[in-house]
Amino acid sequence: MANIFDTIIEGLLCPDNNRIKEATVQLYEAFKQPDVLWNLCEVLTSTRAVEVRQMTAVLLDKRLSDIGVWNGLSFDQQMGVKKYLLEALVAEKVRAVKSAIGRVVGTVSGYHNEKKDQWISDVLKYTFERCVLDPNESESDSYTFSAIAESATTHLADEMPTVCKMFETIMVNSDAQNTLASRTVANMFNGMGYLIPFLGEYPAEYVPRAFHDTEAVAKLLLDASACEQIEKTIRLQCMSFISEFMRVSKTEILRQNMLLPIVRVLFELICKQPADSEDDELDGNSYAEGASHALDEIAMIVSGDQLLPLLFQLMEPAIQSTNNLTRRAAYNCMGTISEGCMEIICKQYLEVMLNVIKTGTQDPDLSVRGAVFFALGQFSENFQPDINKYSPEILTMLLEYLRQLIGDMKRGTVPITKHVDQFFYALEKCCESMDEMIDHHLPGVMDCLFKALNSPHTLTLRSYCLSALASVSGSGKLILPYFSQIVAVMQNYLLKDCDEEIGRLRIIAINT
């Protein structure tokens, strides 16, 4: 069947769509054969073309990712597959193919996470030797280590002396060769991130010296995160590692006054979110998202008494800045750290911060307003019950803005951008938090929502209003006087015969 896979893979790699479809059908049929794994392993360890071996590794990983397939193998068959994989890992010289094999090794390692397996130890030993002895092999082999660390974390807890020695050696060598901003180092940091919880269980002599030099590690992570010449994925991994390192070395970081430099770098990265980005909550691959996630984690680890004064040093001048991105970053940070700093904010700063947010709702830049509403929504969600005494004032402010928004949109003077989404997020969270306290404000809320739903506004605005209507409905019996109006509005979206555009709102209306 190995020759059949040659044909199949050739078809999958060709640019002809018909050939690809035909090869895909052949692949599904081949996967039904009992000897499929052995044929794939034979191709993987052969001298066939690079792209063939790489695709074979991808197909093998896809097949072995099905735990039912793995459990269906006998012990001897499982050992045979692992033998092939180790042979392929040792013999392969092409980086792309070796990384693909590393993914398969990580998948198989995951099936042995809870029990001792000599094979994983052998793979780790080989990876250590190659990373240390051959710099040309270190990138793909460090990726294999990262894959194993992710899938077989518990197993590697017993291998921490070897792991720490490997990490230390690579860090020392990379520092000497001025290659700290390399894929190898990024892979090692990524893998060590999964193993940090186990570092404290081992004697100090097993922990790499790099971890003892807290300031040096923190500086390395910050420099790599901020350096625009370094590859994006490496920078994002370093940002992710910052919070993990904080979790383990919090006392030493605070003692050496490293918290402010860390927060400053993260804040500056949040400030660099592109001005034309529609993603004020940020996307998973942006530098601002990586920095925000790290800041959120740090707020959970460090006391608010220690973190918030440092953030105020950055946020106060940022809010007064003439730069839209800087102002937006300040408000985004308010929302990001709200859960972690909940206790101290509610105790000392809630009213002051709400006044700042109230001012921010009138910011001339729409993206800044979006960040303001994001922060306000986070406050309403996280600061219960302390924020309840301010909720009537907050809701009054939001209703005034909603009336203004509807008027502006009717005149076509304000586009529907991300700030509208964030506004309705804040409105919904405020209504949900008020519960029956919304009684006196309910007429104003319902009047605004009904006007928006019954007039020819854009579908996007009406979808937001339908979602807000669901949040208001949580006020229980208070909503009953409006029930007939709600039903009348819903009929527009639940009728069998409606145009295609209105039909798009049907699911939202059903959920409401």
Side-chain angles (χ1 to χ4, degrees):
M1 187 184 285
N3 291 332
I4 294 179
F5 273 109
D6 287 333
T7 305
I8 292 173
I9 292 173
E10 181 183 349
L12 292 173
L13 294 173
C14 80
D16 187 340
N17 286 335
N18 292 329
R19 282 286 306 280
I20 294 174
K21 291 179 182 178
E22 181 182 341
T24 302
V25 172
Q26 293 174 340
L27 177 64
Y28 283 125
E29 290 300 318
F31 271 1
K32 296 177 183 178
Q33 303 303 316
D35 55 350
V36 58
L37 291 177
W38 316 116
N39 285 288
L40 286 172
C41 287
E42 287 176 11
V43 175
L44 187 63
T45 54
S46 71
T47 57
R48 287 173 174 80
V50 170
E51 60 270 16
V52 173
R53 299 199 307 276
Q54 185 176 4
M55 177 59 78
T56 301
V58 172
L59 295 177
L60 191 58
D61 186 52
K62 178 177 176 62
R63 189 63 177 157
L64 291 175
S65 294
D66 185 342
I67 191 171
V69 171
W70 182 256
N71 289 337
L73 300 176
S74 67
F75 175 78
D76 290 339
Q77 289 174 325
Q78 291 179 356
M79 293 302 294
V81 171
K82 291 190 284 188
K83 178 175 176 293
Y84 269 117
L85 288 177
L86 186 54
E87 289 177 359
L89 200 62
V90 172
E92 187 57 61
K93 300 301 181 185
V94 179
R95 184 181 301 171
V97 181
K98 199 161 192 173
S99 294
I101 297 172
R103 282 192 290 272
V104 188
V105 170
T107 297
V108 174
S109 300
Y111 297 136
H112 301 276
N113 191 27
E114 302 299 330
K115 56 186 177 182
K116 185 73 174 177
D117 189 305
Q118 183 59 40
W119 178 74
I120 298 180
S121 300
D122 292 340
V123 173
L124 186 65
K125 179 181 178 182
Y126 163 76
T127 302
F128 179 31
E129 291 175 351
R130 301 309 298 168
C131 284
V132 172
L133 298 177
D134 191 346
N136 295 323
E137 299 288 335
S138 61
E139 180 176 319
S140 52
D141 286 311
S142 63
Y143 177 84
T144 301
F145 160 72
S146 178
I148 295 175
E150 179 180 8
S151 58
T153 308
T154 303
H155 181 93
L156 288 194
D158 297 330
E159 304 285 350
M160 286 306 293
T162 302
V163 169
C164 289
K165 182 62 178 176
M166 177 169 64
F167 180 79
E168 178 187 28
T169 303
I170 289 176
M171 290 297 294
V172 170
N173 291 346
S174 297
D175 187 36
Q177 298 164 12
N178 198 27
T179 57
L180 285 171
S182 66
R183 170 62 59 189
T184 298
V185 172
N187 288 338
M188 292 304 300
F189 269 119
N190 191 48
M192 290 301 290
Y194 297 106
L195 303 173
I196 278 184
F198 302 109
L199 284 174
E201 299 178 10
Y202 289 85
E205 64 265 23
Y206 289 137
V207 180
R209 286 189 297 272
F211 273 125
H212 290 306
D213 193 347
T214 305
E215 184 176 1
V217 175
K219 188 176 185 304
L220 167 65
L221 293 171
L222 294 176
D223 289 347
S225 298
C227 182
E228 296 182 357
Q229 284 70 45
I230 295 177
E231 185 181 339
K232 180 177 183 179
T233 52
I234 295 178
R235 293 176 65 187
L236 290 174
Q237 287 175 341
C238 287
M239 292 177 208
S240 174
F241 199 79
I242 287 174
S243 57
E244 295 295 335
F245 189 61
M246 174 70 74
R247 195 182 306 279
V248 174
S249 305
K250 179 179 73 172
T251 302
E252 193 62 20
I253 287 173
L254 294 175
R255 189 184 70 81
Q256 297 190 28
N257 297 317
M258 288 297 297
L259 184 57
L260 179 58
I262 290 173
V263 171
R264 179 180 288 114
V265 168
L266 295 176
F267 183 79
E268 290 172 355
L269 286 167
I270 296 173
C271 288
K272 293 182 179 179
Q273 180 72 5
D276 58 352
S277 171
E278 274 294 298
D279 201 354
D280 289 322
E281 270 190 282
L282 317 173
D283 66 78
N285 290 319
S286 74
Y287 300 123
E289 164 63 11
S292 292
H293 179 72
L295 185 60
D296 183 24
E297 291 292 316
I298 290 173
M300 298 291 188
I301 298 167
V302 178
S303 166
D305 293 339
Q306 297 166 320
L307 178 62
L308 205 57
L310 301 182
L311 271 175
F312 281 159
Q313 294 180 33
L314 304 173
M315 291 192 298
E316 287 178 2
I319 289 173
Q320 304 301 322
S321 171
T322 57
N323 187 307
N324 297 338
L325 299 184
T326 303
R327 297 200 306 279
R328 182 174 68 172
Y331 289 113
N332 269 327
C333 284
M334 282 189 191
T336 298
I337 55 91
S338 62
E339 184 178 3
C341 297
M342 173 180 60
E343 186 175 346
I344 186 174
I345 290 177
C346 290
K347 186 177 180 180
Q348 298 183 33
Y349 302 107
L350 183 53
E351 184 173 3
V352 173
M353 295 179 76
L354 284 174
N355 287 333
V356 172
I357 285 177
K358 183 178 180 180
T359 302
T361 60
Q362 301 303 315
D363 194 282
D365 185 79
L366 295 182
S367 68
V368 177
R369 285 189 225 169
V372 170
F373 291 128
F374 165 69
L376 188 55
Q378 289 284 289
F379 280 22
S380 295
E381 188 171 359
N382 295 323
F383 294 161
Q384 295 297 323
D386 301 80
I387 200 170
N388 283 344
K389 63 181 179 180
Y390 303 103
S391 292
E393 179 184 352
I394 294 172
L395 185 56
T396 300
M397 176 184 67
L398 290 174
L399 287 179
E400 290 177 2
Y401 190 87
L402 179 57
R403 294 187 186 99
Q404 177 187 335
L405 179 66
I406 292 174
D408 289 342
M409 296 185 73
K410 188 175 181 179
R411 292 186 293 271
T413 56
V414 175
I416 293 185
T417 60
K418 191 70 176 178
H419 88 285
V420 177
D421 179 80
Q422 301 291 42
F423 166 76
F424 277 97
Y425 164 70
L427 178 62
E428 290 178 23
K429 292 302 177 184
C430 181
C431 290
E432 289 173 1
S433 67
M434 290 183 71
D435 199 20
E436 294 189 358
M437 289 174 56
I438 202 172
D439 185 13
H440 299 298
H441 300 271
L442 198 55
V445 175
M446 300 306 290
D447 179 62
C448 285
L449 295 180
F450 284 141
K451 283 182 179 178
L453 288 167
N454 288 321
S455 57
H457 290 294
T458 67
L459 293 177
T460 304
L461 178 59
R462 280 184 279 174
S463 69
Y464 286 137
C465 289
L466 282 173
S467 181
L469 196 59
S471 299
V472 176
S473 299
S475 55
K477 62 182 181 180
L478 297 177
I479 203 72
L480 290 179
Y482 305 93
F483 187 72
S484 60
Q485 288 177 273
I486 293 173
V487 171
V489 168
M490 292 301 172
Q491 284 179 340
N492 296 325
Y493 307 105
L494 300 177
L495 290 174
K496 290 183 179 179
D497 298 322
C498 61
D499 60 52
E500 183 179 350
E501 288 192 345
I502 297 298
R504 296 175 188 172
L505 299 176
R506 180 169 291 170
I507 295 177
I508 301 175
I510 292 172
N511 290 335
T512 301

